[in-house]
Amino acid sequence: MRVTEEIAEEIYQVYSSGKRGIVLEMEQVLVWREIVSYLAERYFSDKAVVEVHYGKRQDNSFAPCFYQRCGKTLRLMAAADLENVTANSYLALGLEKMDEKKGLGMLLLESFSCCDSRSKEKAEIALLQLLTQQPAKEQAPLLLIMLDDIQKLSPYLFPYVHVIRGRKPGAEELLEEVQEVLKKLALPVESSISGAFEREMVSYLQGFWRHEVSYLFQRALRRYGQEAFDEDKRRVLETIREEKVKLLGQQGLLEWKSVKKTDMANMEVLSNYLKDSGRIMANLQEAVAEGNDVPKGILIMGLPGTGKSLFAQYAAAELKLPLIRLDMGRMMGSHVGDSERNLREAQRQAEEMAPCILWMDEIEKGFSGTGKGGREEGAGYLQRMLGGFLTWLQEKSSSCYVIATANSIQNLPAEFFRKGRFDECFYTFMPYEQELREILRVHLSKPERVHVMTKETEQAVDMLVQIATGSCRFMTGADVSALVSHTFRRLYLNYHECEEEEEEQERPNKKDYDKEHIGEVLLEEFKKIRVFSETNAVTIAEYYRGLRKNNFVRASKKGQNTNYDQTLDAFVLNTLKQEKQSQLPTT
C-alpha cells in the first residue's frame, strides 16, 4: 500500500472512531490531493465533499472560496449570499454555512494558515464551535485541515483535533516507482539496469516524494543522455545528489556530504565492525526476522587528527550509502523550544532519507552543558535535547546509521556510554609503529606520489618511525598528512631552484629527482615539524587517563612492540607530573 493510501486509511479510521476534526501536517499539496481523492472515492462517494482554499471571487479578488468535488474535478460553488461579506469574516461564515449543508461528508480546509490574522481568528472560533457542539445527526462530517506546519494551529484547538503527520514513501514504494519510470523511459536493451543499481538509486532518492522520481530521471536523461543510467558512470546519482543538496540547503538543518573512496590504515577493528553492520543493513528484513536488532550506530572518541571524520567518509563509500552531516551548531535556536524542535526535525529528515549514514561531528559541542556543571547552571534546554536525542537513538527502527564523533570524553555525560544507545563505542589514539608506517605508505602511495615508493623510501619510513616513537614525538594521521605535504612541497621547490642555477647541465627528470631525494627531505621536514604530542601533551595524557575509566574498544589492532606501550605510559605519567607541579603555588 502506498503512503498516501496508508495516511487516508488512518484518517478514516480516526474519523470513524469518533474524532471529527483531523489536522494533516503535509508540506506537499500534490500528495494532499491524492489523499483527498482516495477518501472521496472510497468513503464519501455518496456525499458532498467540499474544499475551501484560495481562489478568485467574482470581483477578481483572492479569498477563501468553496469548491464542490465532483469525482476528480473541482467546481466553484455559488456564493451569492457571501458576496457582500467582508474578507475578514468570509471564511468564518462559510464554515458555519457548510456545516449546515445537508449530506456533507467531508469539509477540507486547505488555506487555513493563509488567512490574515483577523480572518484566521474568526475562522478558528467558528471551527472550535463546530468541533465542540453535539452533532444533530449520527455521523457528523469529517473536518480535515491541511497545514504545512503544525505550529500554525492555535493551541486551544489541539484538544479537539487529532494530528497526523505526513510521511514520505519508503524504500519499497520508491523501488516500485523507479521501476515504473525506467519502463516509461524506454531505455535501450543494452542499458539494462541491475537490481543492485536500482537499490542504490533508491537509497539516494530517500527523502523525495514519489512524484519527484520522474522529474529527477528526466532531468538526468536530458543532461547526460544514455550515460545517465550507465552503471559505470552513474550520472543519475549525481543529479539526485545535486537536488538533495538543494533540498537540505532549503531546510537548513542537515548537510549532504560528497563521498570519496578513502583508505583507513589504522582502524582495522572498527572497519571490520562496520562491514558486519553493513551486511545486516543490506539484508535488514531477513536479519530482523531472524532476531537481529536494526543497527543503531557507533560513537568514535578520539584526539583531533586521528581519523574520526575520515572514517565517516570511508563508511559511506564502503556501505554505498548517502552521507548526511548534522552540525549541532545549526540546531541552536534563539527562542524557547527552537533548539529541541530543530533537533527533532533533523532526526525526522534523516529517517526519511534512510538508508543513510547520519554523521554527527564533534557531538560533545552540542551537549557539553549537560554534565554535572551544566545541571548546576540550569541548562534545561540542553538536558531536554540530550534526553530527546538518546531516546530517539535507542528507539529508532529505521536504517539511518549514526556515526557520532567526539574529541573529548570529559565533556559528554555518562548517559552516552550506556548500553543500548550506540551499538558500540570506539576510541582512536596515537598510532602504533606499524599503524604509523601504514599511514605514511597510504599518503606516499597516492597516484601523484606513488613513483617515490622504492626500497630506499621504505627504509627512510622505517627510520622516521623509529625516531618518532623513540623520542616520544607521537604523530597523528593529520601530522603525517602535513609532513608528507611539506616534503613534496620542498622537493618541488628544490628541484626548480636547481633548474634555475644549472640551466646548462643535464639533470634528471622530476620523478627521478623525487626518488633520489625523498628519504632525506622526509627526515629533514620531520625535524622541523611540531607534532601533536609536542603541542598538546597534556590533552593526550588526560585523554589517555580518561579512556582507562570507560569500556571503549580500540579502533585499531594493538601493536606488537611492547616498548611503545612502555614509552607511552612513561610519557603520560611524566606529562601529568609536570602539569601538576606547574599548578603548585610558588613561594
Side-chain angles (χ1 to χ4, degrees):
M1 185 182 290
R2 293 188 177 190
V3 166
T4 51
E5 295 172 0
E6 288 177 0
I7 295 173
E9 290 291 346
E10 184 179 354
I11 289 171
Y12 190 75
Q13 184 184 59
V14 172
Y15 165 66
S16 59
S17 299
K19 198 74 171 181
R20 185 180 179 191
I22 297 175
V23 175
L24 178 59
E25 187 180 26
M26 176 71 70
E27 62 188 35
Q28 272 282 347
V29 174
L30 288 175
V31 181
W32 155 266
R33 294 273 181 226
E34 289 182 25
I35 294 170
V36 170
S37 295
Y38 182 90
L39 283 168
E41 292 172 20
R42 185 172 176 85
Y43 296 111
F44 299 102
S45 58
D46 59 338
K47 292 186 178 181
V49 175
V50 176
E51 295 187 25
V52 182
H53 55 83
Y54 266 76
K56 246 185 187 181
R57 295 175 61 182
Q58 291 181 7
D59 60 0
N60 288 327
S61 64
F62 279 90
C65 295
F66 298 87
Y67 294 82
Q68 174 82 48
R69 176 172 284 276
C70 303
K72 293 186 178 181
T73 61
L74 293 176
R75 179 175 57 81
L76 182 63
M77 295 178 64
D81 54 337
L82 296 178
E83 282 302 310
N84 297 321
V85 177
T86 62
N88 288 338
S89 60
Y90 187 83
L91 183 56
L93 291 176
L95 283 172
E96 293 174 7
K97 289 183 177 296
M98 286 303 105
D99 189 54
E100 295 167 0
K101 184 176 177 66
K102 292 181 179 180
L104 179 64
M106 181 164 53
L107 175 61
L108 313 168
L109 307 180
E110 183 183 328
S111 31
F112 194 68
S113 58
C114 298
C115 304
D116 58 66
S117 57
R118 288 185 64 189
S119 296
K120 187 178 177 184
E121 184 178 350
K122 289 176 178 291
E124 286 173 344
I125 292 171
L127 182 59
L128 183 62
Q129 291 173 346
L130 295 174
L131 291 171
T132 54
Q133 71 185 20
Q134 189 69 26
K137 41 190 175 295
E138 288 185 15
Q139 188 81 26
L142 166 63
L143 297 175
L144 187 57
I145 305 169
M146 180 202 169
L147 292 174
D148 59 348
D149 185 357
I150 196 64
Q151 301 300 320
K152 294 178 180 178
L153 189 68
S154 295
Y156 59 76
L157 285 175
F158 274 103
Y160 309 104
V161 296
H162 179 86
V163 178
I164 296 176
R165 187 163 205 161
R167 47 194 178 272
K168 291 181 178 174
E172 291 301 319
E173 188 174 340
L174 282 174
L175 180 59
E176 178 186 320
E177 185 68 18
V178 164
Q179 291 169 344
E180 287 181 13
V181 174
L182 288 174
K183 285 179 185 177
K184 292 177 184 177
L185 292 178
L187 299 173
V189 177
E190 59 269 20
S191 301
S192 60
I193 295 172
S194 68
F197 190 29
E198 287 180 348
R199 286 191 293 275
E200 190 171 357
M201 284 189 276
V202 167
S203 72
Y204 271 65
L205 286 165
Q206 295 288 167
F208 287 106
W209 297 98
R210 182 168 178 144
H211 64 268
E212 292 176 303
V213 175
S214 178
Y215 156 72
L216 291 167
F217 282 15
Q218 289 285 0
R219 180 168 168 76
L221 195 60
R222 288 181 179 276
R223 291 176 69 185
Y224 303 113
Q226 299 302 325
E227 282 188 3
F229 300 96
D230 183 284
E231 292 206 35
D232 294 325
K233 298 183 178 177
R234 309 169 105 73
R235 296 289 195 180
V236 65
L237 299 184
E238 291 181 25
T239 301
I240 298 171
R241 181 185 63 80
E242 290 171 7
E243 290 295 321
K244 190 161 279 189
V245 168
K246 293 178 187 176
L247 175 66
L248 293 177
Q250 291 168 359
Q251 295 165 337
L253 297 176
L254 300 176
E255 179 185 0
W256 177 283
K257 299 294 291 184
S258 298
V259 176
K260 57 183 178 181
K261 189 87 174 163
T262 185
D263 293 315
M264 298 304 301
N266 63 327
M267 293 193 185
E268 188 177 351
V269 174
L270 181 50
S271 298
N272 290 336
Y273 187 89
L274 175 77
K275 290 173 184 175
D276 290 342
S277 298
R279 280 196 288 271
I280 293 174
M281 291 173 68
N283 304 281
L284 195 56
Q285 290 184 343
E286 178 185 276
V288 170
E290 293 180 6
N292 290 277
D293 292 328
V294 177
K296 300 177 185 299
I298 53 177
L299 172 67
I300 309 175
M301 191 78 64
L303 296 166
T306 52
K308 304 183 302 298
S309 299
L310 192 64
F311 184 80
Q313 293 274 352
Y314 169 82
E318 185 70 27
L319 301 185
K320 295 183 179 179
L321 292 176
L323 179 62
I324 311 295
R325 182 173 179 266
L326 188 155
D327 182 357
M328 290 301 299
R330 293 189 181 189
M331 300 300 107
M332 304 307 170
S334 55
H335 297 94
V336 175
D338 282 354
S339 301
E340 302 97 303
R341 184 162 51 250
N342 288 341
L343 184 58
R344 286 195 302 270
E345 180 63 19
Q347 290 165 183
R348 184 186 68 81
Q349 291 175 14
E351 290 207 74
E352 284 181 347
M353 294 180 185
C356 67
I357 290 177
L358 180 64
W359 171 30
M360 304 182 71
D361 194 21
E362 297 185 349
I363 196 170
E364 77 276 15
K365 291 183 178 179
F367 298 118
S368 59
T370 55
K372 184 178 179 181
R375 292 190 183 94
E376 291 174 353
E377 294 160 15
Y381 79 97
L382 285 176
Q383 286 292 328
R384 291 191 296 273
M385 287 180 70
L386 173 67
F389 170 70
L390 293 179
T391 300
W392 171 76
L393 189 64
Q394 186 159 340
E395 295 180 356
K396 76 179 183 69
S397 58
S398 71
S399 52
C400 170
Y401 193 75
V402 178
I403 295 182
T405 61
N407 293 328
S408 172
I409 198 171
Q410 284 84 8
N411 291 336
L412 282 174
E415 294 96 313
F416 256 83
F417 316 132
R418 194 188 309 165
K419 291 297 181 183
R421 309 298 197 191
F422 294 94
D423 296 328
E424 192 59 86
C425 296
F426 293 89
Y427 75 93
T428 59
F429 199 55
M430 314 304 289
Y432 288 108
E433 299 101 314
Q434 186 56 35
E435 295 168 347
L436 195 54
R437 235 178 245 108
E438 288 300 319
I439 296 171
L440 278 160
R441 284 174 185 149
V442 166
H443 285 283
L444 290 170
S445 298
K446 290 184 177 180
E448 63 275 14
R449 298 170 178 170
V450 70
H451 61 277
V452 303
M453 289 304 292
T454 63
K455 185 177 180 181
E456 290 74 17
T457 304
E458 291 279 1
Q459 292 172 349
V461 167
D462 288 340
M463 186 181 298
L464 188 152
V465 170
Q466 290 174 13
I467 294 171
T469 54
S471 59
C472 293
R473 296 188 69 200
F474 303 110
M475 286 196 291
T476 64
D479 289 331
V480 174
S481 177
L483 172 61
V484 174
S485 177
H486 291 176
T487 299
F488 275 85
R489 181 176 186 273
R490 179 45 52 195
L491 284 169
Y492 177 85
L493 294 173
N494 288 351
Y495 179 81
H496 289 288
E497 284 172 8
C498 293
E499 185 179 47
E500 294 171 4
E501 295 172 1
E502 304 173 10
E503 291 181 2
E504 302 297 326
Q505 300 179 16
E506 285 191 19
R507 298 188 306 102
N509 64 39
K510 178 64 166 58
K511 288 188 175 181
D512 290 337
Y513 180 87
D514 290 347
K515 289 179 190 176
E516 183 179 349
H517 295 90
I518 181 69
E520 61 186 80
V521 175
L522 189 65
L523 292 170
E524 285 173 9
E525 291 299 317
F526 178 63
K527 293 176 184 177
K528 299 177 188 177
I529 195 171
R530 292 198 72 198
V531 298
F532 191 82
S533 61
E534 294 173 303
T535 58
N536 297 272
V538 175
T539 302
I540 295 173
E542 290 178 347
Y543 177 77
Y544 186 73
R545 181 173 60 180
L547 283 173
R548 293 190 168 189
K549 298 178 182 179
N550 292 275
N551 189 26
F552 278 54
V553 177
R554 185 175 173 99
S556 60
K557 284 188 175 180
K558 193 170 182 179
Q560 302 298 318
N561 191 344
T562 55
N563 291 332
Y564 180 89
D565 289 333
Q566 294 171 359
T567 304
L568 180 60
D569 285 338
F571 168 80
V572 169
L573 290 171
N574 187 49
T575 300
L576 292 174
K577 183 178 179 181
Q578 291 179 358
E579 177 67 9
K580 187 175 181 179
Q581 289 176 346
S582 68
Q583 294 175 354
L584 293 175
T586 55
T587 56

